[in-house]
């Protein structure tokens, strides 16, 4: 049990990597607080976890709302006595296309869900972790925020994901002495709705960019997040941890 008795928030839990993480973390002993906008998906997942895997509560909302970030922390505290970890994973790709043709609406939408929400989440979570004597925060960044892989039309997404790495590193240096670790996880292409699931042409194109010539399963990325949230990574903070099937070495 890697996360026994740890209370952990997971956003983006209604789908893909976040859903896989919720099931894995609960199986590893965590008490999980599930967040995303789609309430029915969260309700079903919480019920599955509570029927024999572990303990889960959920609250539907939008990660762009500061009050939602605080409400998830409050739910962790009232339900499970505090907060030990957060997998701030919700994200969107947005519209892909050249920056010269990109509308400000798309830029703002991507930056607000992926980067501003990461800031709001950490701002709400750090005081609760401080009260607990430490904790672990993980942002789901992307290989696109580091190496891009030659994917066209990713300006807003890449900027938001690179921004998460900078935010994680700044938070890491600010809070290391308090026992609060902050890392960014950089997945490669992963089989989820955002990763092109259901669109074989897209999945095949992205898979071929990876030296492993395949996409990750959502559980493989959840396992990397599990490591960062567990005490196994106790000397890691401020790390952009790459789990990308070799995408970055292909380019180096
Ligand atoms: N799949 C890939 O190839 C890949 C690669 C690298 C990084 N990532 C990153 O991995 C993370 C998870 O993505 P995924 O691949 O698992 O995609 P996904 O299956 O589409 O999941 C995205 C999750 O984010 C939630 N979400 C989106 N906007 C939200 C908002 N405004 N407020 C609250 N929740 C919101 C969605 O829930 P609701 O719709 O219910 O709100 C959903 O649970 C993202 O940050 C993504 O950028 C993905």
């Amino acid at each position: 049990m890697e996360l026994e008795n740890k209370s952990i928030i997971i956003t983006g839990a209604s789908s893909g990597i976040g859903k896989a993480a919720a099931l894995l973390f609960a199986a590893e002993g965590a008490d999980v607080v599930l967040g995303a906008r789609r309430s029915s998906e969260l309700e079903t997942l919480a019920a599955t976890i509570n029927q024999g895997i572990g303990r889960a509560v959920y609250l539907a909302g939008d990660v762009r709302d500061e009050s939602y970030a605080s409400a998830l922390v409050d739910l962790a505290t009232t339900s499970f006595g505090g907060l030990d970890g957060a997998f701030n994973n919700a994200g969107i790709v947005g519209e892909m296309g050249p920056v010269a043709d990109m509308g400000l609406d798309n830029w703002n939408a991507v930056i607000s869900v992926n980067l501003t929400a990461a800031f709001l989440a950490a701002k709400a979570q750090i005081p609760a972790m401080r009260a607990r004597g430490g904790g672990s925060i993980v942002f789901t960044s992307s290989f696109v925020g580091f190496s891009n892989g030659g994917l066209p039309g990713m300006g807003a997404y890449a900027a938001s994901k690179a921004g998460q790495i900078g935010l994680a590193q700044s938070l890491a240096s600010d809070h290391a002495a308090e026992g609060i670790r902050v890392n960014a996880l950089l997945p490669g292409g992963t089989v989820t709705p955002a990763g092109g699931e259901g669109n074989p042409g897209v999945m095949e194109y992205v898979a071929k960019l990876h030296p492993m010539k395949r996409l990750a399963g959502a559980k493989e990325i959840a396992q990397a997040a599990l490591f960062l949230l567990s005490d196994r990574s106790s000397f890691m903070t401020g790390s952009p941890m790459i789990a990308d099937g070799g995408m970055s070495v292909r380019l180096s």
Side-chain angles (χ1 to χ4, degrees):
M1 289 289 206
E2 298 282 342
L3 299 175
E4 196 156 20
N5 297 323
K6 288 190 189 291
S7 164
I8 297 181
I9 291 170
I10 303 160
T11 65
S14 61
S15 177
I17 293 167
K19 182 176 180 181
L23 291 164
L24 180 64
F25 296 0
E28 290 292 339
D31 297 324
V32 291
V33 178
L34 312 177
R37 289 166 301 182
R38 284 172 290 171
S39 186
S40 59
E41 274 78 356
L42 296 179
E43 184 180 11
T44 302
L45 180 59
T48 301
I49 291 170
N50 287 323
Q51 280 159 17
I53 300 174
R55 294 202 298 170
V57 292
Y58 71 94
L59 180 67
D62 192 316
V63 292
R64 292 171 293 184
D65 292 343
E66 187 163 14
S67 61
Y68 182 56
S70 299
L72 287 171
V73 173
D74 291 346
L75 184 59
T77 303
T78 54
S79 304
F80 303 131
L83 183 68
D84 302 297
F87 186 34
N88 297 313
N89 164 77
I92 58 169
V93 176
E95 292 165 21
M96 294 169 63
V99 166
D101 300 332
M102 188 181 292
L104 182 59
D105 285 356
N106 181 62
W107 173 269
N108 285 338
V110 173
I111 297 293
S112 64
V113 175
N114 295 353
L115 183 55
T116 307
F119 151 72
L120 294 173
K123 188 179 169 191
Q125 291 156 4
I126 283 167
M129 290 183 182
R130 190 182 282 138
R132 199 80 150 170
S136 174
I137 293 174
V138 178
F139 300 127
T140 309
S141 175
S142 169
F143 73 98
V144 175
F146 173 66
S147 59
N148 181 272
L151 283 176
M154 303 297 278
Y157 185 73
S160 71
K161 295 299 182 179
Q164 288 182 331
I165 297 169
L167 178 63
Q169 293 181 331
S170 182
L171 288 165
S173 66
D174 286 350
H175 299 287
E178 298 176 292
I180 300 171
R181 300 185 295 108
V182 188
N183 293 287
L185 173 61
L186 280 58
T190 307
V191 182
T192 70
E197 191 173 24
N199 188 331
V202 169
M203 295 215 305
E204 190 183 348
Y205 169 73
V206 179
K208 279 187 180 156
L209 297 175
H210 294 68
M212 286 190 178
K213 304 298 177 202
R214 68 174 180 87
L215 302 177
K219 189 176 178 186
E220 290 182 282
I221 304 305
Q223 287 169 170
L226 166 66
F227 171 70
L228 289 174
L229 284 157
S230 79
D231 295 339
R232 298 260 183 201
S233 59
S234 54
F235 203 55
M236 287 182 68
T237 196
S239 174
M241 192 176 102
I242 295 168
D244 71 351
M247 175 69 95
S248 54
V249 292
R250 173 181 156 267
L251 299 165
S252 60

